[in-house]
Amino acid sequence: GSHNDDIIIMENVKKRFGDFWALKGITTRVKRQEVVVIIGPSGSGKSTLIRCINHLEKHDEGRIIVDGIELSHDVRNIEAIRREVGMVFQQFNLFPHMTVLDNITLAPRIVRKWPREKAEKLAMELLERVGIADQAHKYPGQLSGGQQQRVAIARALAMQPKIMLFDEPTSALDPEMIKEVLDVMRELARSGMTMVVVTHEMGFAREVADRIIFMDAGQIVEEGTPEHFFTNPRHERTKLFLSQIL
Ligand code: ADP
Ligand code: MG
């Protein structure tokens, strides 16, 4: 395919914190509708990598192009990219003093200037989709962790992003909540959303990922299909990591 198929392009991306290089030259591409799972040990740069995609961290070297927009430090580009990229974190980061419905309608109403009625109609459709329409008028503190994370996903989707980034979305959840969040993510993948997911959930990676990237020490060590990873990893570091996590 042409370059147009690549919705995210990273070329030799480097990021440092002081003297420490958290990303040492990342080159990879994500195709439209592709689901990429990033795995790797703690501190390997997974969060830094996905935070660079929507400029929550500024990369120091290399190029990042999202849907044809070069991620420079030009604030107009940053805003344009942030509108296209939804993000879900380990901590749900919901506004505790606002209802579920208001959490979801806030950005569409403020950023896109949608009237309340239009924003609430979309919000209810999204809550339906993530299976918690009946919780719309509650406050986040009244919900379980799994329900809160599903609100966070609905909130990100309310901006109608082209790409969804997930940074360990189930790591803060009790085991019984993990499945309900992964089910929502699985449905999102099936619907054709482009997704980049940092997770330790190897079952999800195996079933849902089109491609898995293994990172270590700020570099991509190995990338390939789940089949490749789980049957025939090439590198010793990959084998060691998989043997520890599986
Ligand atoms: P991962 O998500 O794979 O656990 P991170 O991307 O969070 O790794 O971090 C990669 C490395 O960069 C770690 O060594 C971490 O300590 C360091 N790091 C991340 N964010 C900062 C920061 N804001 N300041 C200094 N060091 C940081
Ligand atoms: Mg992390």
Side-chain angles (χ1 to χ4, degrees), residues 17 20 22-23 40-49 57 167-168 198:
F17 297 106
F20 176 76
L23 299 177
S42 179
S44 57
K46 306 179 299 296
S47 294
T48 304
L49 177 62
E57 300 286 359
D167 192 356
E168 300 201 28
V198 175

Side-chain angles (χ1 to χ4, degrees), residues 25-41:
I26 300 290
T27 299
T28 194
R29 290 165 181 249
V30 178
K31 290 192 189 311
R32 289 178 198 279
Q33 305 201 317
E34 192 178 18
V35 177
V36 176
V37 165
I38 303 177
I39 62 175

Side-chain angles (χ1 to χ4, degrees), residues 88-93 143-149 167-179 181-182 198-201:
V88 175
F89 303 90
Q90 181 174 335
Q91 300 302 336
F92 329 119
N93 299 334
L143 271 52
S144 72
Q147 290 173 323
Q148 289 186 61
Q149 191 60 301
D167 192 356
E168 300 201 28
T170 59
S171 293
L173 299 178
D174 293 333
E176 65 270 24
M177 312 282 170
I178 291 175
K179 184 179 177 298
V181 171
L182 292 180
V198 175
T199 186
H200 299 298
E201 293 292 332

Side-chain angles (χ1 to χ4, degrees), residues 141-204:
Q142 298 173 284
L143 271 52
S144 72
Q147 290 173 323
Q148 289 186 61
Q149 191 60 301
R150 287 184 283 156
V151 174
I153 293 171
R155 182 176 62 175
L157 291 174
M159 286 297 284
Q160 300 179 309
K162 292 187 181 166
I163 302 167
M164 285 284 285
L165 307 177
F166 294 85
D167 192 356
E168 300 201 28
T170 59
S171 293
L173 299 178
D174 293 333
E176 65 270 24
M177 312 282 170
I178 291 175
K179 184 179 177 298
E180 62 193 36
V181 171
L182 292 180
D183 284 346
V184 167
M185 292 169 62
R186 198 175 280 118
E187 193 278 323
L188 197 56
R190 254 189 230 121
S191 78
M193 179 63 77
T194 306
M195 293 167 53
V196 181
V197 183
V198 175
T199 186
H200 299 298
E201 293 292 332
M202 291 299 130
F204 178 86

